[in-house]
Amino acid sequence: MDQDEARGEVVAAGATHEKKRNFFARFFGGIALFIRQVIAELRKVVTPTRKELVKFTLVVLVFVLIVMGIVYGLDSLFAWLTHMVFGVPGT
């Protein structure tokens, strides 16, 4: 058993469609299928509550601050190492 890509129907292996659709019918049918699938997925979206939204925002901000600290630390370390290796002699 295989799955027909255009309509998502299960068809027997080796079965063929009686009539092959032309390019425009396949193209616009594919766009219509895509839009239907997008709408179906958007119906599954759950909007977070205000409490959840605040919690998620704080988690993201804390994570960003931690990553900024790591990047700043590495940048300072590499700048110091570069200065030690290639710095001006006698300073």
Side-chain angles (χ1 to χ4, degrees):
M1 297 286 228
D2 293 327
Q3 187 170 6
D4 183 16
E5 292 179 20
R7 287 175 270 177
E9 299 172 350
V10 176
V11 295
T16 59
H17 294 285
E18 294 176 11
K19 179 180 172 187
K20 187 172 180 179
R21 298 174 3 184
N22 65 25
F23 171 76
F24 292 107
R26 285 182 294 166
F27 180 75
F28 291 114
I31 291 175
L33 174 64
F34 174 74
I35 291 172
R36 283 195 305 270
Q37 289 175 344
V38 167
I39 291 170
E41 288 298 320
L42 285 174
R43 287 191 175 130
K44 297 177 188 177
V45 173
V46 178
T47 305
T49 63
R50 183 173 181 85
K51 185 177 179 181
E52 290 173 332
L53 187 63
V54 169
K55 183 171 63 171
F56 296 155
T57 302
L58 289 175
V59 167
V60 169
L61 290 175
V62 168
F63 178 77
V64 167
L65 288 173
I66 291 170
V67 171
M68 282 175 54
I70 292 170
V71 169
Y72 175 77
L74 289 172
D75 182 53
S76 298
L77 174 68
F78 290 133
W80 178 78
L81 285 173
T82 304
H83 181 70
M84 289 295 120
V85 173
F86 301 110
V88 179
T91 57

